Amino acid sequence: MDMAPSAHPPTTTALPTVNRRRVATAAALASAVEWYDYFVFGIAAALVLGDLYFPAGSPTAGVLAAFATFAVGFLARPIGGIVAGQLGDKRGRKPMLVLALTLMGIATTGIGLLPTYETIGVAAPILLVLFRVLQGIAVGAQWGGAMLMATEYAPEGKRGIYGSFVQLGVPIGVVTANTVFLLAGAFTTDSEFAGWAWRVPFLVGLLVLVLAWYIHTRVEETPEFREAEKRLAEEEKAEQSSPLRTILRDHLGTVLLAGGSFAVNTATFYIIITGVLDYTTRELGMKKSAVLTVSLCVSLTQLVLIPAAAALSDKVGRIRVYALGAAGIALWAVPLFLLIDTGSLLWLAVGSFVASCFLSIMYGPQAALFAELFTPEMRYTGASLGYQIAAVLGGGLAPFVMVLLLEATGTSMSVSAYIIGLAVIALVSIKVLADRASSR
């Protein structure tokens, strides 16, 4: 299976190298700070939010409620993708990226300042859910904007590696979020951490507003969008079609296949960084700081693996690399939890590292692959929808489903079966996408 390096080649207009680097750096930073803000909620949900905002019932019920709130953010992500995609395909990538960053900064800071259930009662979980919805809308809007800012500025033949700069935002966000939580826990007692220190990582999210201002004032719109804008301006206004309408009418199958191909990646990723954090600390009795350290170290390896996989996809094709990662996830699902269940920190690290390698192999070329599925006039909408569908079906529900499966079956092998099922869907979706590409 293979796909052409670019179904819709980037513009060949000569651009200053310094300008390309500035845009790629800004896009990577935008992705990193957005994902940092998004991930601190997942870590907090596994550690403290259940007790503070959903105190009634058993500890398991509290964790389920916190993870359900975590999942709400994923359900909101398609809203951000649709709205920002529509406007981003008509008004530009940069304005939507700035808006997404601003919204995320406001939502994350709001969570950091939010009183607990003990202080304001039922209003606390309601407001927590609302802020999480805003986070979801923001990250749904952000990914398409940051990804297109990078890939549409890429020189010919390097769209994969430029797209990976945005993908690096995920491990950078995980590393930073885990580091801040580790520091907050290291310098406070357990009661202080539960009382106020857990809020510090959320308040650090204010820095996202500084980056939003920088992008607004220092980064230019992408050349591919400017060319697409000229073409749209030449059409009669009455004949212009909404990007969303065009996607739903003519390219819905491609969007669904893209989502189906990527759900296993998001599900496995959030199981490892959030679900396993709860499972190992609550069920296996492992230390919170030790598990967070493993997650941090594993994420550091992705900083090398993601761009390496993306660069390889520039040479041998997106689909080959992407499919290899999906197959690896399927094969590693059972060994992963057999190692975790030993309760050994070393085997947890080994299992997580190997899983992370396969996740990186998929994630590296994913930005360029999704961008190449659609033309510039509908790319923000189409790529965002595909990504966010995967996020809803995979990432948002994965920690919640994991807890339910563990409670219902009493064995982690049920979680492995869940991952394998999603991997089969991914491989079938990838095969159909490859067949469609080869028939063009």
Side-chain angles (χ1 to χ4, degrees), residues 340-421:
I340 291 173
D341 284 344
T342 64
S344 163
L345 195 64
L346 173 62
W347 290 122
L348 169 65
V350 171
S352 300
F353 170 72
V354 175
S356 176
C357 289
F358 292 123
L359 291 175
S360 300
I361 290 171
M362 275 194 83
Y363 201 56
Q366 183 256 342
L369 174 63
F370 278 30
E372 291 165 357
L373 293 174
F374 307 95
T375 60
E377 294 83 355
M378 65 185 76
R379 185 173 287 158
Y380 202 139
T381 303
S384 292
L385 272 179
Y387 188 95
Q388 304 314 331
I389 286 173
V392 172
L393 297 178
L397 296 176
F400 185 83
V401 170
M402 178 177 173
V403 174
L404 287 180
L405 288 173
L406 290 170
E407 287 292 310
T409 67
T411 173
S412 63
M413 289 299 99
S414 59
V415 184
S416 297
Y418 170 58
I419 293 173
I420 292 171

Side-chain angles (χ1 to χ4, degrees), residues 34 74 103 138 144 173 211 224 232 265 339 347 349 358 366:
E34 282 265 327
F74 286 83
L103 186 60
L211 182 59
E224 280 198 57
L232 288 173
N265 190 287
L339 293 174
W347 290 122
F358 292 123
Q366 183 256 342

Side-chain angles (χ1 to χ4, degrees), residues 30-206:
S31 177
V33 296
E34 282 265 327
W35 286 118
Y36 165 83
D37 282 9
Y38 201 67
F39 290 147
V40 292
F41 191 99
I43 297 173
L47 297 178
V48 297
L49 294 185
D51 292 334
L52 296 176
Y53 291 93
F54 307 96
S58 67
T60 299
V63 171
L64 280 171
F67 279 162
T69 305
F70 176 72
V72 165
F74 286 83
L75 296 176
R77 281 170 60 168
I79 298 173
I82 290 171
V83 174
Q86 283 277 92
L87 296 175
D89 281 330
K90 289 189 172 184
R91 305 299 180 190
R93 304 2 180 159
K94 187 179 83 168
M96 293 303 101
L97 182 55
V98 171
L99 178 62
L101 290 168
T102 303
L103 186 60
M104 180 63 85
I106 293 171
T108 305
T109 304
I111 295 171
L113 298 175
L114 183 63
T116 64
Y117 185 94
E118 184 179 359
T119 304
I120 60 173
V122 72
I126 291 174
L127 289 172
L128 182 66
V129 170
L130 289 176
F131 281 130
R132 182 58 178 170
V133 168
L134 290 179
Q135 279 195 321
I137 292 172
V139 82
Q142 172 272 143
W143 181 80
M147 180 270 291
L148 293 179
M149 289 293 289
T151 58
E152 291 186 347
Y153 260 102
E156 188 171 358
K158 294 187 177 180
R159 180 172 275 177
I161 190 66
Y162 267 66
S164 74
F165 296 153
V166 173
Q167 307 297 70
L168 287 175
V170 170
I172 292 172
V174 172
V175 168
T176 309
N178 281 331
T179 300
V180 175
F181 265 103
L182 281 169
L183 291 174
F187 290 100
T188 60
T189 64
D190 288 344
S191 61
E192 289 173 335
F193 181 83
W196 61 268
W198 69 269
R199 299 180 181 275
V200 174
F202 287 91
L203 299 178
V204 171
L206 274 170

